Amino acid sequence: MNYLIDISYDGSKFHGWAKQLNAYTVQGEIEKILSKIYREKICIFGSGRTDMGVHALHQFFNFHEKKIHLNKLQLFNSLNGYFPKTIKVNKIFVVDKKFNARTSAKSKTYIYYINTSAFDLFKDNYLLNYNKEINIKKIKDASNLFMGKHNFLSFSKSTLENNVRIIKKISIWKSKSIVNIEISGTGFLRSMVRMIIGSLIDVNENKKGIKDIKNLLNNPSKGSSQSIVSPNGLYLKKVEYLI
């Protein structure tokens, strides 16, 4: 069986998604627990990586059963029974044997939370304590520049050759004191979402203007936008598949 697993996790407790030597990671913890359940080494394939401190409302991974077979309910109960409180299974799907959680993803959506009110100690790991006002109209106007197909190298730490991505939608709204920035696209480069939001914050503070963002998009150079927001306010909200 090839299982696709939808999970949530608290990224503040991990050194990111990707397995690393001598580091506590989401992928490493999941593979350790699956290997314990199945009594053999299990490797998983994630829909994408998240950096240290980034959270997930819906992250996906798939893996192939080998010798032991568990049905969806057995696997659901086993995983949630063994997982730490920082990881939770939302749903399990049976998918085609050729399905891969990363290459089969059609789009991803991230959301970022910014606190414009007083510093909130108890939510500091889960939002950006910006603690001052944001001009919503101003950053909305700037966000329109990122829409569509662009080379986003200036807004990333990418080491890839192809840095062209498509942003389908950017929504910005305020709920009480929290500014929400939601970005959907076909895929994202390393730190791309955080650097785009960092530039929107620069626009709010008059450190960047429309011309600056246009120039960065038209003249791609690795990380040249420079500004990047902290990871704690960022959540992988949704990954879309045709299953």
Side-chain angles (χ1 to χ4, degrees):
M1 302 291 287
N2 186 8
Y3 278 129
L4 176 67
I5 317 290
D6 170 8
I7 63 168
S8 302
Y9 56 82
D10 178 348
S12 66
K13 312 303 179 185
F14 297 96
H15 282 74
W17 165 268
K19 184 168 56 177
Q20 304 170 45
L21 286 175
N22 303 316
Y24 185 55
T25 67
V26 183
Q27 181 184 11
E29 184 68 7
I30 293 171
E31 289 188 348
K32 182 183 78 175
I33 289 168
L34 278 172
S35 298
K36 182 177 182 179
I37 291 169
Y38 283 98
R39 301 173 200 165
E40 62 179 318
K41 185 176 180 180
I42 299 290
C43 295
I44 66 174
F45 306 92
S47 64
R49 298 183 175 192
T50 52
D51 292 336
M52 183 171 65
V54 176
H55 314 287
L57 302 175
H58 293 280
Q59 167 72 290
F60 289 80
F61 69 88
N62 75 290
F63 76 97
H64 296 265
E65 283 187 327
K66 297 178 183 178
K67 299 175 184 177
I68 298 174
H69 171 63
L70 301 177
N71 64 39
K72 288 195 292 183
L73 181 58
Q74 289 172 323
L75 182 58
F76 182 92
N77 290 335
S78 294
L79 285 173
N80 275 333
Y82 280 113
F83 276 166
K85 292 180 180 179
T86 48
I87 308 176
K88 174 183 173 291
V89 177
N90 299 313
K91 198 168 182 180
I92 297 177
F93 305 86
V94 176
V95 290
D96 184 84
K97 288 182 180 180
K98 294 181 180 179
F99 182 96
N100 181 285
R102 182 181 66 82
T103 59
S104 300
K106 302 302 178 185
S107 69
K108 296 177 184 177
T109 299
Y110 286 87
I111 190 163
Y112 196 87
Y113 298 116
I114 304 173
N115 177 26
T116 61
S117 187
F119 182 89
D120 191 329
L121 171 66
F122 298 104
K123 292 183 180 178
D124 194 44
N125 285 331
Y126 306 103
L127 49 69
L128 173 62
N129 267 311
Y130 187 61
N131 312 130
K132 48 189 171 183
E133 283 303 314
I134 290 178
N135 185 324
I136 301 295
K137 183 183 183 305
K138 192 173 183 180
I139 65 169
K140 272 187 177 181
D141 290 343
S143 73
N144 290 331
L145 299 172
F146 296 106
M147 291 293 295
K149 187 176 183 180
H150 301 281
N151 184 324
F152 284 98
L153 185 59
S154 295
F155 299 89
S156 81
K157 297 179 180 179
S158 171
T159 57
L160 302 175
E161 288 186 14
N162 180 11
N163 297 288
V164 175
R165 298 293 184 271
I166 299 172
I167 290 184
K168 297 179 175 180
K169 186 177 181 181
I170 301 179
S171 301
I172 302 172
W173 71 97
K174 191 173 183 180
S175 302
K176 295 183 178 179
S177 63
I178 305 299
V179 171
N180 306 259
I181 303 178
E182 187 174 286
I183 303 179
S184 299
T186 55
F188 294 90
L189 304 170
R190 184 183 174 193
S191 301
M192 177 176 154
V193 175
R194 290 166 57 204
M195 294 189 84
I196 287 174
I197 295 170
S199 284
L200 294 179
I201 294 292
D202 282 350
V203 169
N204 184 66
E205 297 178 353
N206 297 315
K207 295 176 181 177
K208 280 192 181 86
I210 299 297
K211 288 183 179 180
D212 298 308
I213 292 176
K214 285 182 177 179
N215 183 59
L216 288 164
L217 288 169
N218 293 331
N219 300 281
S221 176
K222 183 179 177 180
S224 57
S225 66
Q226 296 187 332
S227 299
I228 182 169
V229 289
S230 60
N232 44 300
L234 184 61
Y235 297 71
L236 175 56
K237 182 179 180 180
K238 183 168 61 176
V239 183
E240 292 186 347
Y241 295 100
L242 293 177
I243 56 174

